[in-house]
Amino acid sequence: MSELSRFAASLDFPLDPFQVEACRAVEAGKGVLVAAPTGAGKTVVGEFAVALALARGQKAFYTTPIKALSNQKYADLVRRHGSANVGLLTGDSSINGDAPVVVMTTEVLRNMTYAGSSTLTGLAFVVMDEVHYLADRFRGAVWEEVIIHLMPSVQLISLSATVSNAEEFGDWLETVRGNHEVIVSEHRPVPLWQHMQVGQRMFDLFADSTAAPRLDGAIPRLNPHLTEAIRSAEERGYAAVAAQRGARGRGGDPDRRRRPGPAVSVASGGQATRTDIIRELDRQALLPAITFIFSRVGCEAAVGQLLGSGIRLITEEQGERNRRLVEEHAAGIADEDLGVLGYWDFVEGLSRGFAAHHAGMLPTFREIVEELFTQGAVRAVFATETLALGINMPARTVVLEKLVKFNGESHVDLSPAEYTQLTGRAGRRGIDIEGHALVLWRRGLDPVHVAGLASTRTFPLRSSFRPSYNMAVNLVAQVGRSRAAEVLQTSFAQFQADRSVVGMVREGTERQEAMDGYAEAMHCHLGDFREYAALRHRLSALEKDGAKARSAARRAEAAVSLESLRLGDIIRLTAGRRAGLAVVVEPSRTYRGATTLPSVLTEDRQVRRLALSDVTGPVVTLGSMPVPKHFNAKSPKSRRDLATTLRIKAPARPRETAAEAPVAAGGDDARIAELRRQIKAHPCHACPEREVHARWSDRWWRLKKETSGLQRQVEARTNTVARTFQRICGLLTEIGYLGPDGESLTADGERLRRLYSDRDLLAAECLRHGVWKQLDRSELAACVSMLIHEPRFDGAQVTPRQPTANVEDAGAAMLRIWSDLADREERAGLPATPAPDAGLAWSVHRWASGQRLEVVLKDQDLAAGDFVRRCKQIVDLLGQIANAADEPHLRRTAKSAVDAVLRGVVAADRLD
């Protein structure tokens, strides 16, 4: 009996054909890439590799992108194989790390490969769950590092969502790993029905059945009843808008525009509330449901709305069981911290069968929601998109309130990939006979757009790989610089770039042939028309340059006016999303020759660093007002109070701006006149068919420009990864992390090997310059937070207050080191290391000094879950510093700082 037969016999469901095919390949000693929809059961292939390793007395690693998924997979494998055979390694958990089967995050395995860990001895299988995560722009490179650097003897089992270029990814795996099979399944075991909610009614999106994605990529026919309902709702919405405008024109409330009110859509005709939708889903037996809101505040508001409505989705007996489970899980959290964590509303919602789930929550709370939802003890969850990643929380129905989300930089439409991953949660295999996806209609949402998202078969996998400083020193130490460059050439990023170059070269050849045809068509019997056309193009370019010069002068005037603003000046922003009144809360500053523009508070209570795009010309001060000395940009109350004062103090009418001064063309006038003279004197100027030739000439020049651009792209994509690596090595040699020959590591380079951070080189430079030597443990934790913290939203904060003079001095030194490093990176043509950000330093110092969570988070725009997650990242980096530092005192301080931060809710929560 084969191991596959034994494994299949141990399951309580039959294996699908794609699972059998993949498991047979694994048993035959091949690596596999399995691409299948969410919920199709591809993890079974990974679980078979684990069972095969145990049966053969070998070792298997199961990697996941996030710690929460690692915890969940660890629990699953322990239930199947026993705790003695399964271990867990994440950033803050180490359980039975020498077991034959170990579950870990991908970063842990990457660090093992660079450190040459003895744990890798005897490794036979590595399962990479959610391998499509390598497209993630922040962490995706780690997946490629692991795939490239794993020993050739290791069988790789890659599990991916369905991607359109699975064969390309498989070809790359075959190239770097050898002996690989690609198994793709596009069959959803549970059919998915697509719906839209218009007002109080739910409609099928498509006219026919579940309208699965079509092979030809065409969009299935829309439900005519849906389109008619949307048309009627749109008409009611337009009528409501017209009525409101008429009311204002007849003396309605002039300040109404300043007060938020319900959106004009079907609202006036009875748009369904969140409570209405959950009640209707419950009535139609479509719970449990996950509602994706894409806003933490929105998720919490939804729970509050359901609590206010008195709705109950589970029995009182189940509610009491839920309450007891929460109390057990939260036993390690101090009573004094429960209020600031939103514990009481959280428990009350769970006792009625609903909850929120987002990254701002305490990880323990998220784990409770996941556990109860999986058990069926919670029937409705309001979540941000973080829930869609990997966590096994299938539902009968998925609701999407919007098809737009904030990606950290701007509000963007959901991609087909994101829509597929979110709605893929709908339909529980073995429980539901069908799943349901419900999109809430609002004005401006075209059902054709929804249908396009729902009917797109797959999405392409794109590499996000780029070399880092830590990667460079580890590779040089292991295989030498020359060999390292060759290794990096095998990355998926370079593989894709090389393939695209082939197509570009072919396209360039085709364009050259077209240019030859255009050249023949513009031939003139009177002279060289290409020469004549060149004169015309030079004249046109020179005239455009004059217009650009005037625009540049206008921008320069705007920059000077912004830099001259003082604290408390009131201005009007004339462009961008934040157009309107603003007050300066931090004037412009110059540091090391670089000038930062002022920070302002806008009338909608947002603090942000100004950019030239916020104004259309020089800024005129409308007036001034006092700004409190200790204005706290992170305090919603401080922002609200100052914005109110701004509206009161602002003058009723803005002053007129100075007239735009013309910009002299200077020497350009003479050149323009000379070119016009040459054009008139050229023989082709007298050709009766001149303009016909000119049209062909314009096409020739346009194609020439495009072809030249294509050639530059070809040159840029050839050996891109290796070129970046060589630039990194050049910079590391320049500052002493590599030896003079660039082929060996110095003591500083060995230190950098042990620092894994987005700001790895900056951390190493701080160690080298002794920036943190004089700090106590709370101060060190505060300074290390500057290497971790990333504000959630765009726009710079006002320079935050520092907890002690030592932290302020160390922070200033870190900023100087970063500035010098950024200058070197710019000269080397490398991406800039993010600047240290002190936005979290005050809170971390308070926490490490033993303050209560309520005090720590007071006046901070920071959720408890975010704070806990940042603290764990700080603990991780402090541990690396303790391992890398040369000075015994700093090592002791770093270890003590770990203990100071890893307490209370941070220590009680081991999930993230």
Side-chain angles (χ1 to χ4, degrees), residues 81-116:
H81 301 292
S83 58
N85 289 319
V86 184
L88 175 67
L89 292 175
T90 62
D92 52 22
S93 295
S94 178
I95 304 171
N96 198 16
D98 293 322
V101 176
V102 183
V103 182
M104 63 186 68
T105 50
T106 315
E107 278 86 353
V108 170
L109 179 54
R110 186 272 310 271
N111 297 351
M112 278 185 182
T113 60
Y114 282 152

Side-chain angles (χ1 to χ4, degrees), residues 79-162:
R79 279 193 293 271
R80 185 172 181 85
H81 301 292
S83 58
N85 289 319
V86 184
L88 175 67
L89 292 175
T90 62
D92 52 22
S93 295
S94 178
I95 304 171
N96 198 16
D98 293 322
V101 176
V102 183
V103 182
M104 63 186 68
T105 50
T106 315
E107 278 86 353
V108 170
L109 179 54
R110 186 272 310 271
N111 297 351
M112 278 185 182
T113 60
Y114 282 152
S117 172
S118 59
T119 311
L120 296 169
T121 305
L123 180 63
F125 300 94
V126 166
V127 180
M128 301 195 80
D129 205 351
E130 308 281 343
V131 74
H132 54 269
Y133 205 79
L134 67 77
D136 181 79
R137 60 179 176 152
F138 298 112
R139 295 172 54 217
V142 176
W143 274 252
E144 288 189 51
E145 289 180 75
V146 169
I147 292 170
I148 291 169
H149 300 313
L150 270 179
M151 296 168 291
S153 59
V154 176
Q155 271 181 256
L156 191 65
I157 292 86
S158 306
L159 310 178
S160 170
T162 310

Side-chain angles (χ1 to χ4, degrees), residues 574-778:
T574 53
R577 289 190 298 123
R578 304 294 182 194
L581 291 172
V583 58
V584 176
V585 293
E586 184 179 60
S588 173
R589 292 186 304 163
T590 300
Y591 178 74
R592 292 180 66 91
T595 300
T596 58
L597 292 178
S599 292
V600 298
L601 173 82
T602 60
E603 58 184 325
D604 59 352
R605 305 195 296 274
Q606 299 296 315
V607 174
R608 62 192 303 270
R609 182 82 65 192
L610 285 180
L612 288 176
S613 58
D614 293 319
V615 294
T616 54
V619 172
V620 174
T621 303
L622 306 178
S624 65
M625 57 180 279
V627 175
K629 187 175 181 181
H630 296 298
F631 170 71
N632 184 354
K634 292 188 175 181
S635 167
K637 182 180 184 303
S638 296
R639 296 198 305 267
R640 184 174 61 250
D641 292 347
L642 193 61
T644 301
T645 307
L646 168 64
R647 284 192 288 269
I648 294 170
K649 293 281 187 181
R653 293 178 62 84
R655 299 177 193 167
E656 295 298 323
T657 59
E660 182 178 352
V663 179
D668 287 351
D669 286 345
R671 280 183 289 172
I672 289 173
E674 174 59 21
L675 279 172
R676 285 176 176 160
R677 187 194 65 75
Q678 292 179 27
I679 288 171
K680 288 179 181 178
H682 197 281
C684 292
H685 191 67
C687 180
E689 296 184 346
R690 181 185 69 197
E691 293 310 312
V692 175
H693 297 327
R695 283 195 291 274
W696 286 109
S697 166
D698 288 341
R699 295 177 188 176
W700 186 92
W701 278 97
R702 187 163 53 247
L703 203 57
K704 174 68 174 175
K705 184 178 179 180
E706 292 172 0
T707 304
S708 298
L710 199 63
Q711 184 59 40
R712 286 194 297 271
Q713 288 183 49
V714 169
E715 292 169 358
R717 293 192 184 193
T718 304
N719 302 322
T720 48
V721 176
R723 278 206 308 275
T724 302
F725 172 74
Q726 296 296 359
R727 288 176 189 149
I728 287 173
C729 288
L731 190 151
L732 292 175
T733 303
E734 177 186 327
I735 59 178
Y737 285 81
L738 295 180
D741 59 356
E743 295 286 345
S744 59
L745 267 60
T746 62
D748 292 327
E750 289 291 345
R751 187 185 301 118
L752 178 56
R753 287 189 72 184
R754 299 192 286 274
L755 296 171
Y756 301 94
S757 158
D758 288 342
R759 299 176 173 97
D760 47 11
L761 185 54
L762 178 56
E765 283 286 271
C766 290
L767 283 175
R768 181 162 74 162
H769 289 86
V771 172
W772 302 322
K773 280 184 179 179
Q774 306 305 317
L775 304 178
D776 64 27
R777 66 180 193 174
S778 300

Side-chain angles (χ1 to χ4, degrees), residues 550-551 554 557 657-663:
R550 289 190 291 275
S551 176
R554 186 79 170 159
E557 291 171 7
T657 59
E660 182 178 352
V663 179

